Amino acid sequence: MKNPMNHDAFFKGLAAHRRIASIKDPRHIEIALSLRSQLSGIFLLTGHIGVVKGYVDVFKEHQLPVFLHLDKIGGLSTDNYGLEYLAKAIKPTGIISTKTNVVKTAKKMDLITIQRFFLVDTEGLDNIAKSLCQIEPDIIEVMPARIPDMIGKVKAFTSIPIITGGLLYEQSQAEECLNHGATAISSSNPELWKGAEPLPDKKIRLIV
């Protein structure tokens, strides 16, 4: 089973801060570390098998839970052997994947699992429901975030915590998602990593 201390600590942080930094550019790692007291965790969407452990170790040293988006990490296999290596050698807090079979295997490896879904039409809701009948991830991520009213429709058939992200540009958009029932928002925009407060005195290149 999962380490209960790591699991509980992440979910407490998720409830407290409700902001997750999606790192698509390694240059944003330093910014995320500087805002670590404002963040629930890190979604890592950059890197490859040769460098990703170094990234994970840095975030863990700063007590930031870190999740690897397996579709975005180069050179990392998502079969049983690859996920076993991930769990034992790289040791992230958990994984993000769009694939039900990967989530199922990762759960057996004591990793916290986040399954990402894209809502492009009404069939997307049916796809989420069908997938959750096969395997329940620990968290689901619904994208894009610019359809906040759909969060309530997903919550109607699952009690799993919902994170939402994608196409967020302004604080008001993030707050609208939270007000519609999202547990937290994920964003690659550093301006959204610490709620409504502005970043301290340096200009940052934003990636969305």
Side-chain angles (χ1 to χ4, degrees):
M1 62 183 293
K2 296 180 181 69
N3 183 322
M5 292 184 65
N6 290 343
H7 188 278
D8 291 347
F10 171 67
F11 279 91
K12 286 179 181 177
L14 195 63
H17 305 304
R18 309 185 76 183
R19 294 290 193 282
I20 294 171
S22 293
I23 304 293
K24 297 180 179 179
D25 186 330
R27 290 172 294 181
H28 284 178
I29 291 176
E30 185 177 348
I31 300 169
L33 294 176
S34 72
L35 298 176
R36 60 188 177 277
S37 64
Q38 304 294 318
L39 293 171
S40 303
I42 301 294
F43 286 176
L44 193 60
L45 286 75
T46 187
H48 54 79
I49 192 66
V51 300
V52 71
K53 178 171 173 53
Y55 293 160
V56 169
D57 288 347
V58 166
F59 288 122
K60 290 173 68 176
E61 286 171 8
H62 290 83
Q63 290 77 54
L64 272 172
V66 56
F67 293 79
L68 301 186
H69 192 315
L70 299 184
D71 302 337
K72 305 290 186 179
I73 305 298
L76 184 63
S77 172
T78 55
D79 62 13
N80 284 10
Y81 298 110
L83 289 174
E84 185 175 13
Y85 171 79
L86 175 78
K88 293 182 177 179
I90 300 176
K91 301 180 180 178
T93 307
I95 62 95
I96 307 163
S97 180
T98 58
K99 300 177 177 67
T100 298
N101 63 318
V102 171
V103 170
K104 184 175 182 179
T105 303
K107 286 177 73 74
K108 297 176 183 178
M109 305 292 178
D110 296 338
L111 295 164
I112 298 177
T113 54
I114 299 174
Q115 187 163 2
R116 175 177 280 188
F117 295 97
F118 295 92
L119 281 175
V120 296
D121 52 32
T122 54
E123 289 185 5
L125 285 174
D126 293 335
N127 291 337
I128 294 175
K130 289 176 183 176
S131 180
L132 296 183
C133 287
Q134 299 177 50
I135 185 69
E136 281 199 355
D138 296 291
I139 299 169
I140 60 177
E141 185 180 24
V142 176
M143 301 184 78
R146 295 295 295 278
I147 45 173
D149 56 306
M150 298 301 289
I151 296 169
K153 295 183 183 298
V154 176
K155 287 175 69 71
F157 58 77
T158 183
S159 60
I160 296 172
I162 299 171
I163 294 170
T164 190
L167 300 179
L168 289 174
Y169 297 92
E170 300 175 2
Q171 289 291 347
S172 60
Q173 295 164 350
E175 293 298 333
E176 187 177 10
C177 293
L178 297 175
N179 291 338
H180 274 79
T183 302
I185 62 103
S186 64
S187 177
S188 59
N189 181 342
E191 293 287 353
L192 300 183
W193 291 352
K194 56 180 300 187
E197 299 177 33
L199 283 171
D201 34 39
K202 62 175 166 178
K203 293 187 178 181
I204 300 157
R205 185 168 79 88
L206 302 184
I207 298 179
V208 179

